[in-house]
Amino acid sequence: FMMGSASAFSNLAGSAPKARSICTLRDFIVVGNTNDSVDGVVPNRVRWCALGDPTDWTVSPVTQSDYNDMDSSKGCVQAVFGGDYGIIFQERSITRMTYVGSPVVFQFDEMESGRGLLAPNGAVKFGNFIAYLGFDGFYVFDGTESISIGENKINKFFFEDFDLNLTDRVTATVDINKQIIYWAYPGVGNVGGIPNRILCYNY
């Protein structure tokens, strides 16, 4: 969509893969949990476009477009977040993605193992932090480690109220002005899986 001139969205030129998560990392578009015409569905894959060109997804050491398959035992890629460095959330892992240039392009360092993102839309970035819903509660990740923000009472209430079959209905957002993070989810009494609860965290 070209701001100021387009009236409707159109397909991006080139061969960009379908993906469940997307972010901007420096001069790259990065996607996670991909589906393309060559390899089909690859839930644990992270892929990025050519340097400065979101229309070029052909793997090449010259353009730096490439992909990386994460450890499949850690589950699918749930979300990717960008900035100066990338953060990849799998179901049971959090990995930092750092630009190092050709021929490697990105370095991948697992920051946490055994802890990841429960709901694909249950994480939100604010500043250099990411608030997220893990399989055992609510956390804030600072780029290095996760800090619990829901220990005991909040986590207990949430998991007693939430239907774990509806993880795709959880959404997180942030109000920067009020410094509040919101998680909307379907709790007890929901109709058709529509979220009927909001948990708030004032950071």
Side-chain angles (χ1 to χ4, degrees), residues 3-4 8 34 44 50 58-59 61-62 71-72 88 91 105 118-119 127 139 154 173 177-178 200 203:
M3 300 295 291
T34 64
N44 60 310
T58 302
V59 174
V62 176
D71 184 349
S72 61
I88 303 164
E91 293 172 288
V105 188
L118 172 63
Y139 293 90
I154 299 300
T173 191
N177 293 327
K178 294 182 178 179
C200 308
Y203 58 88

Side-chain angles (χ1 to χ4, degrees), residues 32-44:
N33 198 329
T34 64
N35 181 355
D36 61 52
S37 59
V38 177
D39 295 325
V41 176
V42 187
N44 60 310

